[in-house]
Amino acid sequence: MVAGYLVLENVFFLIERLYENLLSLESTSAALTFDDVVKFIVEEKIEDCFSILVINPIDLAFVNKVYGFEVGDSILEEVINGLSILADRKRVVKCNEGLICAFLNDCSRSAAVNGKKVFKGIKETLSRKFSYLPYKPDISGYLLIFTEKSTLKIKDLTNLLKYALRISRQKPSELLILSTDELISSKSIFVFKNTVDYLKETFESGRVALAIQGIHEIETAKVKHYEVLFRLIDETGRIIPAGEVIDLIYDFRLIHLLDLAVLKKVFSNIEKFKNLNKGIFINVSPRTLKLRTTREEIEKIIGNLVRKGLKVGFEITEQA
């Protein structure tokens, strides 16, 4: 049974590697990360008063996988064409995760008015041109107005961009308008930043708790195997529900740190798991498996678990 799990795991790794190679071949240009965008803002001679309009094509990875990269690229091109109405084409760039970022030489009220018009126009264009698809492409987005560029630190700026992206996804029907003045003094961004820093430090230090739940056979009601679940416990001893943090963990690309922390915790408690006399299943995200360095560390831990006699399998999580 363990051998079967390992074969399945190796097959999955192979599929993911082939998919990554295909993705790199299909991409026509390298995407900028948020760090690249921040560096550009800080180091280049951008006007002190400017705005960034960020468009997020919803479920672009799903579109690429189901309908092909040609359709996904067409959606991106329509977004870029729409944004080019507002900004010079050279200032409309592909960012990471399929985002399209446009730099505008405007931080006035008209930037918000024009941004909303363009946002609505892109939505209408996508709805019309891709009406033949069972799945209707859509976008979310935000306009972040910078009025105090010189006072912003790199880390603060990165947090502002990521925070804006997160809350804009919660209401994709309209363009979210934000200003650096409002966000810097906002209690929400303070709580948000502290939460992200807390999660990162917690995972890196391995301060996660584990729980198990039995998976029962319908016919006999006997436990067939156990599923390992993670638990976060705050300083008061309260268990933090996974639903409160899981989206944040994915949004900020911390899932690989969580997966590694869980695997290391299982290894440090291997005798307790062996005493269950049943196999265990551990959740692993596809994002974790796509990272080469993380994948190598996972393979090493898995090898140690199997050598020590633990029956272990893996469930690939749905959220990618």
Side-chain angles (χ1 to χ4, degrees):
M1 191 172 184
V2 174
Y5 294 151
L6 293 177
V7 169
L8 177 60
E9 176 205 2
N10 287 330
V11 169
F12 183 85
F13 284 156
L14 176 60
I15 292 173
E16 286 297 306
R17 286 167 183 157
L18 289 173
Y19 176 74
E20 287 178 327
N21 290 336
L22 176 61
L23 184 61
S24 65
L25 289 173
E26 292 285 343
S27 177
T28 58
S29 61
L32 297 179
T33 66
F34 271 134
D35 291 336
D36 295 328
V37 173
V38 169
K39 184 178 180 182
F40 179 72
I41 293 172
V42 173
E43 295 183 357
E44 299 296 326
K45 294 181 178 179
I46 291 183
E47 299 77 5
D48 283 335
C49 177
F50 71 102
S51 305
I52 294 181
L53 179 54
V54 178
I55 299 296
N56 171 41
I58 298 173
D59 295 331
L60 185 62
F62 168 81
V63 171
N64 284 333
K65 290 180 180 180
V66 175
Y67 302 110
F69 286 97
E70 184 176 352
V71 175
D73 288 344
S74 296
I75 291 173
L76 291 178
E77 190 62 29
E78 292 298 336
V79 173
I80 291 172
N81 289 339
L83 290 176
S84 297
I85 297 173
L86 278 181
D88 186 299
R89 181 74 179 226
K90 294 179 180 178
R91 287 198 168 191
V92 179
V93 297
K94 290 182 180 180
C95 296
N96 60 332
E97 300 303 315
L99 302 175
I100 305 297
C101 305
F103 296 90
L104 313 177
N105 299 334
D106 189 1
C107 64
S108 66
R109 188 174 182 275
S110 63
V113 174
N114 293 332
K116 288 182 177 180
K117 288 181 180 178
V118 166
F119 182 77
K120 181 180 179 181
I122 294 173
K123 276 182 170 287
E124 291 174 349
T125 298
L126 293 179
S127 177
R128 183 178 68 257
K129 290 199 171 184
F130 297 95
S131 60
Y132 63 91
L133 294 177
Y135 170 84
K136 304 306 177 187
D138 198 7
I139 58 172
S140 62
Y142 66 88
L143 177 73
L144 184 56
I145 300 172
F146 291 78
T147 55
E148 295 186 6
K149 170 197 168 186
S150 59
T151 65
L152 290 173
K153 297 179 181 178
I154 291 179
K155 187 174 182 180
D156 292 335
L157 182 50
T158 303
N159 283 329
L160 290 183
L161 292 171
K162 292 181 177 180
Y163 174 75
L165 176 62
R166 175 172 172 78
I167 59 177
S168 69
R169 284 172 171 168
Q170 297 171 1
K171 195 175 182 180
S173 60
E174 61 186 51
L175 182 68
L176 179 68
I177 308 296
L178 299 166
S179 75
T180 53
D181 287 345
E182 296 171 351
L183 283 181
I184 290 172
S185 59
S186 168
K187 183 179 179 181
S188 296
I189 188 67
F190 176 78
V191 172
F192 177 76
K193 176 182 177 299
N194 285 349
T195 301
V196 173
D197 289 344
Y198 165 77
L199 289 172
K200 186 173 185 293
E201 196 274 332
T202 296
F203 297 154
E204 289 178 338
S205 62
R207 295 200 314 271
V208 295
L210 300 182
I212 58 172
Q213 69 177 13
I215 305 301
H216 299 260
E217 294 180 339
I218 295 178
E219 295 82 3
T220 64
K222 292 182 179 180
V223 174
K224 186 176 182 180
H225 60 263
Y226 291 96
E227 181 179 2
V228 178
L229 307 173
F230 82 92
R231 292 288 184 267
L232 295 180
I233 302 175
D234 66 19
E235 55 276 4
T236 68
R238 181 183 77 95
I239 295 177
I240 303 173
E244 291 185 10
V245 294
I246 194 64
D247 286 341
L248 200 60
I249 292 171
Y250 272 96
D251 285 350
F252 277 78
R253 302 298 180 263
L254 301 176
I255 189 62
H256 66 291
L257 296 179
L258 172 59
D259 287 345
L260 278 174
V262 168
L263 279 168
K264 290 176 180 178
K265 197 79 169 183
V266 169
F267 183 74
S268 64
N269 292 275
I270 190 169
E271 293 303 322
K272 294 179 181 178
F273 285 103
K274 287 172 65 176
N275 289 337
L276 296 172
N277 293 320
K278 297 285 183 181
I280 65 169
F281 273 77
I282 303 172
N283 292 318
V284 177
S285 167
R287 291 185 181 178
T288 300
L289 300 176
K290 288 178 182 178
L291 297 173
R292 182 180 57 80
T293 53
T294 305
R295 187 167 59 233
E296 290 173 353
E297 192 166 359
I298 286 177
E299 290 173 342
K300 182 179 178 180
I301 296 174
I302 292 172
N304 290 333
L305 290 173
V306 172
R307 277 191 291 273
K308 289 185 173 290
L310 183 65
K311 298 178 181 178
V312 58
F314 296 89
E315 181 175 341
I316 307 303
T317 58
E318 294 88 352
Q319 190 168 359

